[in-house]
Amino acid sequence: MRTFFSYFFGLVVTFLAVTFIPIERLLDEIMNTQKLVDNVKSANLHENLCRLTVRTIIGQKQAGLLADTSLMPARDDLQEVIKETFPEEWLLNNVSAAHTDLINFMKDPVTDGRFFVGIQLEDRKNLLTENLSVVIEDKINSLPECTQQDLKTMSPGFLTMRKGVDFDIRKLHVTCRPPDEIKKLIFKSIRTQIYRSVDVLPDSLILLKSTGGATDQITIIRELKSLYRFSQSFAVFGYGALLLLLILIATINYGNLSVLLHRIGFPFVLSGMLLSLPFAFALAKSDDVFSISSQRIARGAASVDSVGNETWHLVMSFAKTIMEQYSWNMIYFAVIIFIIGLGFIIWSRILRIKPLSPLDSRDETNL
């Protein structure tokens, strides 16, 4: 009976472990700020976001006008300006702060007043406009001085700019450095075009924001707080149940250490083997799954442009990184469990080895 109940409870431990541990680890992956920051780094999200921002800005009509002139920075130069304006450290700090704010919001049992969880971008957008303006101003200043003939050719455009109306900068054919008064007019017109191109970027990335008590927002808040409470109680209940079952197995086999160690090690070894299999399979198929999903999303949106398509690919790439990181963490966890169980079994075998009797420990002279 002891053998039956020991292995029965061992199978229960295994079943509970392979169903509970992946969910608990997934909740930890969601709730752990440092893991989120590590995933952002692993996905090279900063580089990809900068590249997407370049495409978004260049895709605007105003930037398109500048792109046809010698004043528009090259794509690589534009990306460097964006990286300087939105450095990776800034992104990581803001992701960490926003996630921490979200977790603290979920912890708080009562929510009163207005709240915002996300990343503010408005100041950085203004800074990007200034930085791009400086780059273009430097390009104008690096040009040779205009001759009188050059100024006569450009004069109709100067009259239009003085009237304060929108002007197609391409008509100026700026190939030389005009006098300061005219240069200020050109620069003012260019700065307006840059501002309009950059303004297409969002003012903030919102995770959660109060909407005056709207029903849908209240529902989301309740679900988030329920998720946090569930994540905390779920871990305590799950690991508590596993510990209780292991104690029960140890109690049943009390008095025989070698048998106890073997039957304790059995669910560890089996759990470690079963836990690693689905995540190893997920890693092997991740490229196929996410590439197919990304293609379906891109085809499913008939009105998606190239920037929108790249956005979806970026989202899928980040999701793939999170899945792969989670799968590797689970495999490492499963290997640790397997090694612990194998150690218990090996220890039980060592204890079963009996020392040789005097009759068995004969030397060659007794043979």
Side-chain angles (χ1 to χ4, degrees):
M1 290 299 289
R2 288 187 178 186
T3 302
F4 171 78
F5 281 111
S6 295
Y7 284 104
F8 172 76
F9 286 126
L11 291 174
V12 173
V13 169
T14 302
F15 174 77
L16 183 60
V18 298
T19 54
F20 154 74
I21 292 178
I23 299 175
E24 188 278 330
R25 291 289 85 196
L26 178 60
L27 290 172
D28 180 70
E29 199 82 20
I30 295 172
M31 299 293 177
N32 192 306
T33 301
Q34 186 56 50
K35 287 185 177 180
L36 175 63
V37 172
D38 291 341
N39 285 327
V40 170
K41 289 181 180 178
S42 300
N44 201 16
L45 192 60
H46 177 256
E47 181 77 20
N48 292 329
L49 283 173
C50 289
R51 187 160 48 245
L52 180 61
T53 303
V54 170
R55 294 197 61 177
T56 302
I57 292 174
I58 291 178
Q60 302 309 303
K61 176 183 177 182
Q62 293 77 12
L65 298 178
L66 286 174
D68 293 335
T69 70
S70 60
L71 301 178
M72 186 67 178
R75 183 181 290 259
D76 291 342
D77 294 335
L78 182 56
Q79 184 159 329
E80 286 303 316
V81 173
I82 291 173
K83 285 182 179 180
E84 291 175 4
T85 308
F86 301 91
E88 185 176 21
E89 194 65 28
W90 172 88
L91 175 65
L92 297 178
N93 289 338
N94 276 273
V95 167
S96 177
H99 189 266
T100 302
D101 289 343
L102 180 61
I103 298 300
N104 291 334
F105 175 82
M106 294 165 66
K107 286 180 182 179
D108 190 0
V110 179
T111 301
D112 296 323
R114 307 188 67 83
F115 54 85
F116 171 84
V117 178
I119 301 175
Q120 294 286 0
L121 299 176
E122 192 169 3
D123 290 344
R124 290 284 161 173
K125 284 174 56 178
N126 295 333
L127 180 59
L128 179 58
T129 300
E130 294 295 332
N131 290 343
L132 287 175
S133 300
V134 169
V135 171
I136 293 178
E137 186 176 17
D138 290 342
K139 288 178 74 72
I140 295 176
N141 290 331
S142 65
L143 296 173
E145 285 192 29
C146 292
T147 63
Q148 289 299 321
Q149 184 60 38
D150 293 329
L151 294 176
K152 287 179 181 179
T153 304
M154 300 166 67
S155 60
F158 300 152
L159 294 175
T160 305
M161 284 189 293
R162 281 196 175 97
K163 294 178 182 179
V165 298
D166 286 344
F167 178 72
D168 189 345
I169 194 67
R170 294 174 298 182
K171 295 179 179 179
L172 276 181
H173 301 289
V174 181
T175 57
C176 59
R177 186 176 74 252
D180 288 343
E181 181 182 354
I182 299 175
K183 185 173 67 175
K184 287 178 181 179
L185 289 174
I186 296 175
F187 185 65
K188 182 180 179 181
S189 177
I190 291 175
R191 197 175 188 284
T192 300
Q193 305 297 339
I194 294 173
Y195 174 80
R196 291 174 180 173
S197 299
V198 171
D199 194 52
V200 71
L201 301 176
D203 291 334
S204 61
L205 300 177
I206 301 172
L207 296 177
L208 199 63
K209 183 180 180 181
S210 62
T211 57
T215 304
D216 58 342
Q217 195 74 10
I218 292 174
T219 303
I220 293 174
I221 292 170
R222 288 175 178 170
E223 289 176 351
L224 285 173
K225 293 184 179 296
S226 298
L227 175 64
Y228 180 79
R229 289 193 296 270
F230 172 75
S231 68
Q232 300 302 300
S233 58
F234 184 69
V236 174
F237 169 79
Y239 285 116
L242 287 174
L243 181 60
L244 183 62
L245 288 170
L246 291 174
I247 292 174
L248 190 57
I249 295 173
T251 303
I252 293 172
N253 296 282
Y254 181 75
N256 191 333
L257 184 57
S258 63
V259 173
L260 184 152
L261 291 172
H262 184 274
R263 292 175 181 174
I264 287 269
F266 163 72
F268 277 86
V269 170
L270 188 58
S271 297
M273 292 172 59
L274 295 178
L275 272 175
S276 62
L277 292 178
F279 296 102
F281 179 79
L283 286 173
K285 295 294 182 180
S286 64
D287 289 337
D288 296 334
V289 170
F290 282 95
S291 62
I292 292 173
S293 300
S294 182
Q295 291 170 7
R296 285 179 178 174
I297 289 172
R299 288 197 302 265
S303 61
V304 171
D305 56 11
S306 60
V307 174
N309 199 3
E310 187 172 339
T311 301
W312 280 118
H313 283 293
L314 178 59
V315 171
M316 296 305 296
S317 175
F318 186 51
K320 178 186 174 185
T321 299
I322 293 176
M323 188 280 293
E324 289 178 342
Q325 189 66 36
Y326 168 62
S327 297
W328 277 116
N329 289 339
M330 284 304 306
I331 290 174
Y332 295 147
F333 193 81
V335 169
I336 292 173
I337 292 176
F338 180 84
I339 292 174
I340 292 173
L342 191 63
F344 278 131
I345 292 176
I346 293 174
W347 190 5
S348 71
R349 294 293 183 184
I350 293 175
L351 291 176
R352 289 180 185 180
I353 299 176
K354 297 180 180 179
L356 295 175
S357 66
L359 293 177
D360 292 329
S361 56
R362 302 167 183 169
D363 54 29
E364 293 182 358
T365 57
N366 293 328
L367 292 177

